[in-house]
Amino acid sequence: MDKIRAFIEDQFLVSFDEDFPEDTNLFKEGIMDSFGYVQLCRFLEREFAITFSEAEMTGNVLVSLSQIRDTVAAKVAALGKAG
């Protein structure tokens, strides 16, 4: 899951630390816009062989690093159970 943090830090030029915690809403802070969001989703889908439903993509599920990690971990775990 460190790949997710590295991608966000590189793509959006931020560094997570005590002043910018992992549960920070990236949209509300102006870090990520809709174009960046699509790039992030495509990266996650390619990197982890998962897909996001329309509801997930439009439901404020992927707005912070902590939420993104939790969502990806759950999807990867579900794939393991399904396989």
Side-chain angles (χ1 to χ4, degrees):
M1 295 296 166
D2 287 337
K3 289 179 183 181
I4 298 171
R5 179 180 175 143
F7 178 85
I8 292 172
E9 288 182 335
D10 291 345
Q11 190 71 26
F12 302 110
L13 305 175
V14 298
S15 294
F16 291 98
D17 57 22
E18 51 283 336
D19 294 326
F20 193 77
E22 294 184 355
D23 63 350
T24 300
N25 186 313
L26 299 171
F27 282 106
K28 288 184 180 176
E29 292 299 319
I31 303 299
M32 186 165 54
D33 61 12
S34 58
F35 180 71
Y37 185 71
V38 170
Q39 289 181 307
L40 172 65
C41 289
R42 296 299 166 243
F43 164 78
L44 296 171
E45 289 178 335
R46 280 192 316 269
E47 189 67 33
F48 297 97
I50 58 176
T51 57
F52 294 103
S53 68
E54 184 176 333
E56 289 169 321
M57 292 193 68
T58 59
N60 291 328
V61 175
L62 305 170
V63 296
S64 71
L65 176 57
S66 55
Q67 284 181 304
I68 294 164
R69 279 184 175 154
D70 292 347
T71 301
V72 170
K75 286 187 156 296
V76 169
L79 282 176
K81 291 178 186 174

